[in-house]
Amino acid sequence: MAAKDRKSISMRMARLMSGAALCSYLLVASGAALAQDVKSGEKLLLSADEVVYNRDAEIVTATGAVQIHYNGYRMVAQRVDYNQKTGRVSASGHIEMVEPDGNRVYAENLDVTDNFANGFLNSLRVETTDNTRIAAESGERIDADTMVLNNGTYTACLPCATNPQRAPLWQVKAERVIQNGKEQTIRLEKARIEVFGVPIAFVPVLEVPDQTVKRKSGFLFPRMSMTENLGFGASIPYYWAFSNTADATFTVTGYSTQGALLEGEVRQRFDMGEHTFRVAGISQLNKDQFTANTSDSEKDLRVLASSKADFHINPRWAFGWDAMVQSDNNFARTYDIQGLNQTVHTNQAYLTGIGKRNYFDVRGYYFDVQDADTKNTAEKQQAIAAPVIDYHYVAPEAVAGGELSANVNFTNISRTDADINAALSKNGYRGLSGVNARLTSEVEWKRTYATPQGLLFTPILAARGDLHGLDVNAPVGYTGSFENDGFATRYMLTAGLEARYPLLVATGYGSHIFEPIAQIFARPNEVNAGGLPNEDAQSFVFDATNLFDRDKFSGYDRIEGGTRANVGFRYTGSLDNGFTLKAIAGQSYQIAGLNSFATDDLVNAGANSGLEDNVSDYVAMAGLDMPNGISLSGSVRIDKDDYDLNRADTTVAYTARALQTSLTYTRINAQPEYGDKNDNDIIQNSTSVRLNDNWSVFGAVTWDINADVLTRRGLGFSYTDECMIFSMAFTDTRDVGNEKANDWSIGARLSFRTLGDVDLGADTFDTFTE
């Protein structure tokens, strides 16, 4: 502060306290509160039981419940002395000062300048607005924005309510603690990290951002790992916030067997969105550590680069991309590059528009299969899908009293090698080599009529047309006729009628809705059934969820043809005691024409589905929610002839504050024509027990009943409070088809609030707890 301002403040404060001294004789019993301008725009407010002015020493003394408000500072103490000659304020006795930014400083003795900018404090404690606590034997305040503390302790933990003297869960003790307001940092020199009062690490210098900072450049907590081929790994990340809209993280990871892995990630925010660019590279020191004849063992220098962006042009339109390129096909997976280590990384670019009654989306896909086998052709078997265009439209006004909607899809697919599924009883082709383009347009109209008796009729009309441009290699050994060159067309006209009769039954204990449903769809036979490529309608499960769908195939490449009827029953119950019940059951019938689910195609999509005969299997599902947290759900497909359980999914779950658990049983009969020659019976359980407010344990297990083996098991625990999280998990997985593919791992994470995380195999923990 300028000398002129300091003199002005001193003179005005002297006048203030002089006046207060004259009035103190009248106000000593009840206290006094006086205010006086200190400088332009600022006021000093003093309140005390007694104020005395010593004219000879030019010292003003306030005692008894002293309160001072000045320039955003608030202070209370038992005694405050102001020396007009030196311009210093000294205070003692249970001092508490609240700074303009909200931090609280507690001390037994304080000696500062009259603007609180500089001074000394003894036996002090600082509490920041984010509940961070700093305590020290003594401290010095410098230029209003820096405080140097001696023999300090830093923690983000609240003191124990029953025993405040007990050591906090974690704390950092340091010879010097420097709180820098300009740099917005807290620097701890010669620091010792303690957990439960026990030292676990010594750090020469530790610097963390203060409570006012959301982004601060500096070193982050190191990470550690241990793997078979890479050895022990230690990562040191550095975070750099180089602008208000951009930052970066640079990481050096040293592996005991392979050397130094360098990673960089730059993030940039724009008004419309954000972009992330990443690079990584390593010169392997010991590539022979890997299995011979793999991509891991054949490269010395391995690098990658990736770019990911998401932008919003306006509230309706968005575009972006996610792309990765690497020097070989397994670098990101071998070195566990976060976000890029998937078995299959999907590269894509997109443009999306969403309106009130329409939707547009165009995308391009390239699938990067990460596998160490240099002879593996899996990536060449993956489709390059570009572009894939979808458009959906619903007419804003009623057309002939009903709803008119339209869908358009264009898909262009190319691949180098055919994708053959040898698990079928005869070879199935998940994809053909060559180029396959398809344009599909479909319109649908429907309207619901209600009779006076409550019967609901919904006529449905639909028309669809397909144009295929084909230049694919014909599937070898395929017995059906197949179009593989030139152009092919396909159409489908549908006239349908749905009848529903919802009955509401109200009783003294709740309400029930019983709704019988019947549908009939009249259509010609599917044109070129099984004679065209099938890329997007391969996955097919017949159950109660798609019983009443007009077209039960999962994609555009197949069309359900022929005349079919669907009959079923739906029930919803809501009881006054909090119970909720839902159920649906029914069956489907092929009345006339060619059954699309009984025709061959490249993957036998309809085989063993329960729809391949004129009369389908029975399908049903039900759910029960209880007010005590118990829920039951089940879905079954029962053979129409012998009532065998062809497919079942049943789950029992309980959810409460102290316990969350679920038990699921899945049964899938053998589907030799579709891809699995063996029955599958699997039981899965996951449980989490909350022991108290801080401790919880969790576990999961998967049992393959047919193979009589636990294919996955895990156990873990976690501790969480306001300042620390500690978690540890053990997992063990087994592939019954490959006994060598057994993998156990231990993941742990220790997170200190305001300091950072210490990870050891954290990815394993995240996967286990999802």
Side-chain angles (χ1 to χ4, degrees):
M1 178 179 289
K4 182 178 180 181
D5 291 337
R6 288 181 56 83
K7 182 177 181 180
S8 174
I9 291 174
S10 301
M11 294 177 62
R12 293 180 183 181
M13 193 167 185
R15 296 192 194 105
L16 166 68
M17 292 199 167
S18 298
L22 294 175
C23 298
S24 63
Y25 298 103
L26 300 176
L27 302 175
V28 66
S30 59
L34 302 171
Q36 171 72 34
D37 286 342
V38 178
K39 68 178 183 178
S40 177
E42 298 176 359
K43 290 182 180 294
L44 183 148
L45 177 67
L46 169 70
S47 174
D49 291 338
E50 182 179 28
V51 179
V52 177
Y53 178 49
N54 187 330
R55 291 182 179 274
D56 295 332
E58 298 187 51
I59 295 176
V60 181
T61 301
T63 58
V66 182
Q67 298 184 40
I68 295 177
H69 296 251
Y70 168 64
N71 196 24
Y73 290 89
R74 293 175 292 159
M75 187 177 73
V76 298
Q78 293 299 311
R79 178 187 176 98
V80 175
D81 294 292
Y82 173 65
N83 191 317
Q84 182 181 354
K85 294 179 179 179
T86 62
R88 297 191 72 85
V89 177
S90 61
S92 61
H94 305 296
I95 301 168
E96 178 181 351
M97 182 168 65
V98 181
E99 298 179 327
D101 57 7
N103 293 343
R104 293 178 180 269
V105 180
Y106 302 87
E108 283 302 315
N109 301 99
L110 176 147
D111 183 5
V112 297
T113 55
D114 54 17
N115 62 350
F116 297 98
N118 299 276
F120 301 92
L121 303 92
N122 290 317
S123 300
L124 75 149
R125 186 175 81 254
V126 181
E127 295 181 0
T128 65
T129 54
D130 68 341
N131 284 328
T132 300
R133 286 162 165 73
I134 305 173
E137 293 179 358
S138 62
E140 180 181 1
R141 189 175 181 85
I142 304 171
D143 296 332
D145 52 27
T146 302
M147 185 178 290
V148 180
L149 309 179
N150 301 311
N151 295 326
T153 301
Y154 172 89
T155 183
C157 300
L158 297 175
C160 178
T162 58
N163 184 11
Q165 302 304 317
R166 189 172 70 184
L169 199 59
W170 68 264
Q171 62 185 357
V172 182
K173 292 184 176 180
E175 287 191 8
R176 290 214 318 167
V177 180
I178 303 173
Q179 186 177 22
N180 191 320
K182 289 183 178 179
E183 299 294 331
Q184 298 174 299
T185 60
I186 299 175
R187 179 184 175 91
L188 302 112
E189 298 179 351
K190 297 183 179 180
R192 185 175 71 248
I193 301 175
E194 296 183 357
V195 177
F196 297 109
V198 178
I200 63 170
F202 174 80
V203 183
V205 176
L206 179 62
E207 189 171 272
V208 297
D210 67 18
Q211 78 285 353
T212 64
V213 175
K214 294 183 179 180
R215 302 163 63 250
K216 183 67 178 177
S217 299
F219 286 99
L220 305 179
F221 257 67
R223 299 191 299 266
M224 292 165 286
S225 63
M226 176 67 77
T227 58
E228 178 182 358
N229 295 321
L230 305 180
F232 175 78
S235 302
I236 301 177
Y238 181 83
Y239 175 76
W240 181 25
F242 54 86
S243 77
N244 292 331
T245 60
D247 55 23
T249 303
F250 302 100
T251 304
V252 178
T253 303
Y255 290 105
S256 59
T257 61
Q258 298 299 338
L261 171 70
L262 305 179
E263 296 178 74
E265 179 176 337
V266 180
R267 298 165 292 270
Q268 174 71 57
R269 286 188 175 273
F270 303 90
D271 291 337
M272 295 192 307
E274 59 184 0
H275 174 252
T276 301
F277 178 73
R278 301 179 64 182
V279 293
I282 188 173
S283 179
Q284 297 187 140
L285 299 179
N286 189 13
K287 63 182 181 180
D288 295 335
Q289 183 73 21
F290 297 101
T291 303
N293 300 319
T294 64
S295 56
D296 295 322
S297 65
E298 294 185 354
K299 293 284 186 178
D300 290 318
L301 179 64
R302 308 179 75 177
V303 296
L304 67 78
S306 75
S307 173
K308 184 176 182 180
D310 295 287
F311 294 101
H312 295 272
I313 303 172
N314 55 42
R316 293 188 176 186
W317 286 93
F319 74 96
W321 63 85
D322 183 357
M324 176 185 71
V325 293
Q326 54 184 340
S327 57
D328 59 86
N329 62 337
N330 206 43
F331 173 42
R333 191 161 175 257
T334 299
Y335 284 88
D336 198 24
I337 309 298
Q338 297 303 301
L340 305 174
N341 55 356
Q342 309 93 335
T343 303
V344 178
H345 180 78
T346 302
N347 297 275
Q348 65 171 308
Y350 69 90
L351 171 66
T352 298
I354 301 176
K356 292 182 178 180
R357 302 181 68 87
N358 59 355
Y359 168 85
F360 174 84
D361 183 87
V362 56
R363 293 176 184 262
Y365 299 93
Y366 177 82
F367 302 97
D368 188 346
V369 179
Q370 302 198 69
D371 193 299
D373 186 356
T374 57
K375 298 180 180 179
N376 195 330
T377 60
E379 187 165 326
K380 294 181 179 180
Q381 296 171 358
Q382 292 292 316
I384 300 175
V388 178
I389 302 173
D390 283 288
Y391 178 73
H392 175 72
Y393 171 81
V394 178
E397 303 293 338
V399 177
E403 180 186 85
L404 180 68
S405 62
N407 287 296
V408 178
N409 173 267
F410 176 76
T411 300
N412 184 78
I413 288 177
S414 63
R415 61 167 50 82
T416 304
D417 294 350
D419 185 4
I420 301 175
N421 180 10
L424 297 177
S425 57
K426 54 184 177 181
N427 284 344
Y429 286 80
R430 287 178 292 235
L432 298 174
S433 56
V435 179
N436 167 29
R438 173 185 44 76
L439 174 64
T440 297
S441 298
E442 183 179 46
V443 294
E444 180 187 69
W445 176 89
K446 58 184 178 182
R447 179 180 180 181
T448 300
Y449 298 88
T451 68
Q453 294 76 25
L455 185 62
L456 302 178
F457 289 101
T458 303
I460 300 171
L461 300 175
R464 169 177 161 173
D466 297 293
L467 175 63
H468 288 261
L470 302 171
D471 184 13
V472 296
N473 294 318
V476 178
Y478 185 66
T479 57
S481 60
F482 195 82
E483 298 287 342
N484 69 306
D485 190 16
F487 292 94
T489 59
R490 182 173 59 179
Y491 72 92
M492 181 59 66
L493 301 175
T494 302
L497 180 65
E498 177 183 85
R500 296 182 291 121
Y501 191 41
L503 297 173
L504 174 62
V505 178
T507 65
Y509 53 86
S511 61
H512 311 267
I513 299 177
F514 301 91
E515 188 177 25
I517 304 173
Q519 296 175 326
I520 186 169
F521 295 104
R523 298 169 289 218
N525 293 338
E526 180 185 3
V527 179
N528 280 326
L532 294 169
N534 179 5
E535 295 278 357
D536 68 356
Q538 299 182 8
S539 176
F540 182 71
V541 175
F542 173 51
D543 57 23
T545 62
N546 57 13
L547 171 64
F548 297 110
D549 287 354
R550 174 168 59 86
D551 190 333
K552 297 178 176 59
F553 281 112
S554 58
Y556 287 104
D557 284 337
R558 291 296 306 271
I559 308 176
E560 185 176 339
T563 300
R564 179 174 289 275
N566 305 309
V567 178
F569 186 85
R570 187 157 47 203
Y571 165 78
T572 302
S574 180
L575 307 183
D576 295 339
N577 58 7
F579 282 73
T580 302
L581 302 90
K582 295 181 180 180
I584 186 171
Q587 198 173 22
S588 185
Y589 305 88
Q590 185 74 22
I591 298 175
L594 179 67
N595 185 350
S596 295
F597 301 102
T599 60
D600 290 337
D601 78 352
L602 295 180
V603 294
N604 292 335
N608 309 126
S609 66
L611 287 168
E612 64 273 21
D613 297 326
N614 289 337
V615 179
S616 78
D617 288 347
Y618 300 99
V619 291
M621 63 184 303
L624 170 64
D625 293 325
M626 304 182 190
N628 59 3
I630 297 176
S631 61
L632 307 173
S633 63
S635 175
V636 297
R637 178 165 66 88
I638 301 174
D639 192 279
K640 67 181 187 305
D641 297 321
D642 56 15
Y643 305 104
D644 188 18
L645 193 61
N646 286 330
R647 186 182 183 99
D649 292 282
T650 305
T651 299
V652 180
Y654 175 74
T655 302
R657 184 176 183 275
L659 174 64
Q660 295 183 10
T661 184
S662 65
L663 181 66
T664 300
Y665 168 71
T666 301
R667 173 178 175 79
I668 305 175
N669 271 4
Q671 298 175 284
E673 299 297 324
Y674 187 53
D676 198 335
K677 301 176 182 179
N678 302 311
D679 294 341
N680 287 281
D681 294 90
I682 298 172
I683 293 179
Q684 302 177 75
N685 171 257
S686 63
T687 300
S688 175
V689 180
R690 187 169 182 173
L691 302 177
N692 53 38
D693 290 339
N694 305 114
W695 289 95
S696 62
V697 295
F698 42 85
V701 62
T702 301
W703 179 29
D704 187 333
I705 299 176
N706 306 95
D708 192 20
V709 64
L710 296 178
T711 58
R712 183 175 178 84
R713 56 184 174 176
L715 181 66
F717 68 89
S718 67
Y719 175 89
T720 304
D721 64 13
E722 82 284 349
C723 67
M724 189 182 84
I725 299 174
F726 176 64
S727 303
M728 180 173 287
F730 164 82
T731 61
D732 183 16
T733 59
R734 171 172 293 181
D735 182 355
V736 295
N738 181 5
E739 288 301 326
K740 294 182 180 180
N742 301 333
D743 184 25
W744 66 266
S745 57
I746 296 177
R749 171 176 296 159
L750 181 60
S751 177
F752 300 109
R753 187 172 72 86
T754 73
L755 289 185
D757 298 337
V758 178
D759 294 339
L760 178 60
D763 285 340
T764 301
F765 172 78
D766 291 339
T767 302
F768 173 68
T769 55
E770 285 179 351

